[in-house]
Amino acid sequence: MKKLLSLVLALITLLSVATVMAGAADTDLTETSATYYVSSKPFENVANANIIGYLGDLDADKEISILDATQVQLSLASLVNLDSTQKLLADTDQDGGISIMDTTAIQCYIARIATDAKVACTLYTKNAAPSGNIFEQVKAYTKANGYYYESSNWYCVYNSDTDIDTGLVYMIDQNEIAVSINTYSGTTSISLFFIIPIDKVDEYSYNSFSATKMVGSNIIYDAFGKADQLKSTDKKLVLTDLIYESETYKFSEVEPEIQTLIQKGFAKIEKQSNGKITNLYQLFG
C-alpha cells in the first residue's frame, strides 16, 4: 500500500510539473576544470575521493525525497537559484544539463521505478594518489587539515566522537609525529598516546606508547614501552619493553583491550583522512 501511495504521489507531481514546465528550457551546468565520476552503487563511500554529494540529493540530507525533486522543478521555473554543487547533483542522468527528465528520474527513484539515471549514486572527484611514504602522508594531511599552534610549531588534527576521540600531531621542531586515542564509557576511560620519531638517530629514538585506564579517579593500569610494526603488512603493533603498573591485572590480560582500541583509533583516523593516509601502522615500521 505504501509503495502504491508513493507511486501515485510521484505521478501526480510529475503530471503537474509537466503541465507547468512544458516550455521550460534546459539549464546548463556550471562547468569547471574538474573531472567528475559517479559510483556504481547508491550512497557508496568511495575511497581516495573528494565526495561532492549524491545525485538527486540537493538538500544534502543523504535521502532522496520529493523535496529534492521540487528544488529541481523550481529551478527550471526560475523560482530558485541552485548553487554550483546543487547544479551538479541535479543532473541525475549526467547529460550535462538540468531538465524535466532529471525531476522525473528523482520521482521514479522515490516510487522505485527503474530508470537509466544514477539517482542517489555518489558524485566525486579523484584525489591524487597519496605518497608511498607514510611520514609524508601524515605531514601533508596535518598541515592541510590541522590547527597550527604557532607557539610550539605544531599542526594538530583532532576529532571527537561519541565513543572515541583521536588526535594526530606533526611536531615540526622535534621532527616527530604523535597519535592519541581516547575512549570513555561512564566513569571509565582509556587513554593511548604514541610518539614516533621521523628520524631515529640513535638508540634512544624509538616508537613509544603509553596506555592508562581509569575508573573515576582510580588507575586500573598504567603502561609505557615500545611499539613496533614487525612487517609492513601487519595491522597490529607489538608492544614490548614495558614499564607496567596494576594492582589487579597482568599486562597480558589488558593487552587485547589496548590492541582493540589501537585498531579502532587507527581505522577512524584513516577513514577521516579520506584516503590521504593509507596505513598508519607503517609509522611504526
PDB file of all heavy atoms in Angstrom, residues 8-23:
ATOM      1  N   VAL A   8       1.627   6.870  -6.699  1.00  0.00           N
ATOM      2  CA  VAL A   8       0.557   7.796  -7.070  1.00  0.00           C
ATOM      3  C   VAL A   8       1.003   9.240  -6.842  1.00  0.00           C
ATOM      4  O   VAL A   8       0.805  10.111  -7.704  1.00  0.00           O
ATOM      5  CB  VAL A   8      -0.727   7.494  -6.248  1.00  0.00           C
ATOM      6  CG1 VAL A   8      -1.748   8.602  -6.442  1.00  0.00           C
ATOM      7  CG2 VAL A   8      -1.302   6.156  -6.671  1.00  0.00           C
ATOM      8  N   LEU A   9       1.610   9.505  -5.682  1.00  0.00           N
ATOM      9  CA  LEU A   9       2.074  10.862  -5.393  1.00  0.00           C
ATOM     10  C   LEU A   9       3.110  11.321  -6.399  1.00  0.00           C
ATOM     11  O   LEU A   9       3.092  12.470  -6.853  1.00  0.00           O
ATOM     12  CB  LEU A   9       2.648  10.916  -3.978  1.00  0.00           C
ATOM     13  CG  LEU A   9       1.639  10.808  -2.834  1.00  0.00           C
ATOM     14  CD1 LEU A   9       2.366  10.702  -1.500  1.00  0.00           C
ATOM     15  CD2 LEU A   9       0.703  11.997  -2.843  1.00  0.00           C
ATOM     16  N   ALA A  10       4.004  10.425  -6.757  1.00  0.00           N
ATOM     17  CA  ALA A  10       5.035  10.786  -7.719  1.00  0.00           C
ATOM     18  C   ALA A  10       4.431  11.091  -9.081  1.00  0.00           C
ATOM     19  O   ALA A  10       4.833  12.047  -9.757  1.00  0.00           O
ATOM     20  CB  ALA A  10       6.061   9.651  -7.833  1.00  0.00           C
ATOM     21  N   LEU A  11       3.459  10.298  -9.505  1.00  0.00           N
ATOM     22  CA  LEU A  11       2.841  10.509 -10.813  1.00  0.00           C
ATOM     23  C   LEU A  11       2.030  11.806 -10.834  1.00  0.00           C
ATOM     24  O   LEU A  11       2.026  12.530 -11.838  1.00  0.00           O
ATOM     25  CB  LEU A  11       1.942   9.321 -11.164  1.00  0.00           C
ATOM     26  CG  LEU A  11       2.690   8.017 -11.490  1.00  0.00           C
ATOM     27  CD1 LEU A  11       1.702   6.879 -11.726  1.00  0.00           C
ATOM     28  CD2 LEU A  11       3.582   8.203 -12.720  1.00  0.00           C
ATOM     29  N   ILE A  12       1.342  12.100  -9.710  1.00  0.00           N
ATOM     30  CA  ILE A  12       0.578  13.356  -9.647  1.00  0.00           C
ATOM     31  C   ILE A  12       1.527  14.543  -9.769  1.00  0.00           C
ATOM     32  O   ILE A  12       1.276  15.499 -10.510  1.00  0.00           O
ATOM     33  CB  ILE A  12      -0.211  13.435  -8.324  1.00  0.00           C
ATOM     34  CG1 ILE A  12      -1.363  12.432  -8.340  1.00  0.00           C
ATOM     35  CG2 ILE A  12      -0.759  14.844  -8.099  1.00  0.00           C
ATOM     36  CD1 ILE A  12      -2.096  12.316  -7.013  1.00  0.00           C
ATOM     37  N   THR A  13       2.626  14.486  -9.027  1.00  0.00           N
ATOM     38  CA  THR A  13       3.602  15.572  -9.095  1.00  0.00           C
ATOM     39  C   THR A  13       4.190  15.689 -10.486  1.00  0.00           C
ATOM     40  O   THR A  13       4.373  16.783 -11.015  1.00  0.00           O
ATOM     41  CB  THR A  13       4.731  15.329  -8.079  1.00  0.00           C
ATOM     42  OG1 THR A  13       4.163  15.159  -6.789  1.00  0.00           O
ATOM     43  CG2 THR A  13       5.713  16.485  -8.059  1.00  0.00           C
ATOM     44  N   LEU A  14       4.484  14.544 -11.088  1.00  0.00           N
ATOM     45  CA  LEU A  14       5.072  14.526 -12.429  1.00  0.00           C
ATOM     46  C   LEU A  14       4.129  15.179 -13.437  1.00  0.00           C
ATOM     47  O   LEU A  14       4.552  16.000 -14.257  1.00  0.00           O
ATOM     48  CB  LEU A  14       5.374  13.078 -12.833  1.00  0.00           C
ATOM     49  CG  LEU A  14       5.896  12.846 -14.245  1.00  0.00           C
ATOM     50  CD1 LEU A  14       7.230  13.580 -14.433  1.00  0.00           C
ATOM     51  CD2 LEU A  14       6.083  11.369 -14.509  1.00  0.00           C
ATOM     52  N   LEU A  15       2.849  14.849 -13.352  1.00  0.00           N
ATOM     53  CA  LEU A  15       1.889  15.418 -14.294  1.00  0.00           C
ATOM     54  C   LEU A  15       1.729  16.918 -14.089  1.00  0.00           C
ATOM     55  O   LEU A  15       1.646  17.687 -15.056  1.00  0.00           O
ATOM     56  CB  LEU A  15       0.532  14.711 -14.141  1.00  0.00           C
ATOM     57  CG  LEU A  15       0.493  13.248 -14.618  1.00  0.00           C
ATOM     58  CD1 LEU A  15      -0.837  12.616 -14.239  1.00  0.00           C
ATOM     59  CD2 LEU A  15       0.718  13.170 -16.123  1.00  0.00           C
ATOM     60  N   SER A  16       1.681  17.344 -12.835  1.00  0.00           N
ATOM     61  CA  SER A  16       1.519  18.774 -12.565  1.00  0.00           C
ATOM     62  C   SER A  16       2.723  19.544 -13.050  1.00  0.00           C
ATOM     63  O   SER A  16       2.597  20.644 -13.591  1.00  0.00           O
ATOM     64  CB  SER A  16       1.302  19.004 -11.068  1.00  0.00           C
ATOM     65  OG  SER A  16       2.444  18.610 -10.332  1.00  0.00           O
ATOM     66  N   VAL A  17       3.895  18.980 -12.856  1.00  0.00           N
ATOM     67  CA  VAL A  17       5.102  19.654 -13.308  1.00  0.00           C
ATOM     68  C   VAL A  17       5.157  19.691 -14.825  1.00  0.00           C
ATOM     69  O   VAL A  17       5.549  20.684 -15.430  1.00  0.00           O
ATOM     70  CB  VAL A  17       6.359  18.941 -12.731  1.00  0.00           C
ATOM     71  CG1 VAL A  17       7.617  19.490 -13.375  1.00  0.00           C
ATOM     72  CG2 VAL A  17       6.415  19.128 -11.233  1.00  0.00           C
ATOM     73  N   ALA A  18       4.762  18.609 -15.459  1.00  0.00           N
ATOM     74  CA  ALA A  18       4.785  18.561 -16.920  1.00  0.00           C
ATOM     75  C   ALA A  18       3.897  19.645 -17.506  1.00  0.00           C
ATOM     76  O   ALA A  18       4.203  20.240 -18.539  1.00  0.00           O
ATOM     77  CB  ALA A  18       4.326  17.180 -17.397  1.00  0.00           C
ATOM     78  N   THR A  19       2.777  19.937 -16.820  1.00  0.00           N
ATOM     79  CA  THR A  19       1.874  20.978 -17.292  1.00  0.00           C
ATOM     80  C   THR A  19       2.477  22.359 -17.116  1.00  0.00           C
ATOM     81  O   THR A  19       2.455  23.199 -18.019  1.00  0.00           O
ATOM     82  CB  THR A  19       0.535  20.899 -16.520  1.00  0.00           C
ATOM     83  OG1 THR A  19      -0.025  19.607 -16.703  1.00  0.00           O
ATOM     84  CG2 THR A  19      -0.426  21.947 -16.998  1.00  0.00           C
ATOM     85  N   VAL A  20       3.042  22.597 -15.926  1.00  0.00           N
ATOM     86  CA  VAL A  20       3.580  23.918 -15.613  1.00  0.00           C
ATOM     87  C   VAL A  20       4.859  24.205 -16.386  1.00  0.00           C
ATOM     88  O   VAL A  20       5.099  25.328 -16.823  1.00  0.00           O
ATOM     89  CB  VAL A  20       3.834  24.022 -14.094  1.00  0.00           C
ATOM     90  CG1 VAL A  20       4.542  25.325 -13.754  1.00  0.00           C
ATOM     91  CG2 VAL A  20       2.527  23.913 -13.338  1.00  0.00           C
ATOM     92  N   MET A  21       5.667  23.160 -16.580  1.00  0.00           N
ATOM     93  CA  MET A  21       7.006  23.370 -17.092  1.00  0.00           C
ATOM     94  C   MET A  21       7.153  23.037 -18.574  1.00  0.00           C
ATOM     95  O   MET A  21       8.264  22.896 -19.061  1.00  0.00           O
ATOM     96  CB  MET A  21       7.995  22.486 -16.309  1.00  0.00           C
ATOM     97  CG  MET A  21       7.810  22.555 -14.810  1.00  0.00           C
ATOM     98  SD  MET A  21       8.252  24.142 -14.151  1.00  0.00           S
ATOM     99  CE  MET A  21       9.997  23.980 -14.138  1.00  0.00           C
ATOM    100  N   ALA A  22       6.076  22.868 -19.266  1.00  0.00           N
ATOM    101  CA  ALA A  22       6.144  22.380 -20.640  1.00  0.00           C
ATOM    102  C   ALA A  22       7.083  23.189 -21.501  1.00  0.00           C
ATOM    103  O   ALA A  22       7.751  22.656 -22.389  1.00  0.00           O
ATOM    104  CB  ALA A  22       4.736  22.391 -21.243  1.00  0.00           C
ATOM    105  N   GLY A  23       7.168  24.478 -21.273  1.00  0.00           N
ATOM    106  CA  GLY A  23       8.010  25.304 -22.134  1.00  0.00           C
ATOM    107  C   GLY A  23       9.362  25.624 -21.566  1.00  0.00           C
ATOM    108  O   GLY A  23      10.083  26.429 -22.137  1.00  0.00           O
TER     109      GLY A  23
END
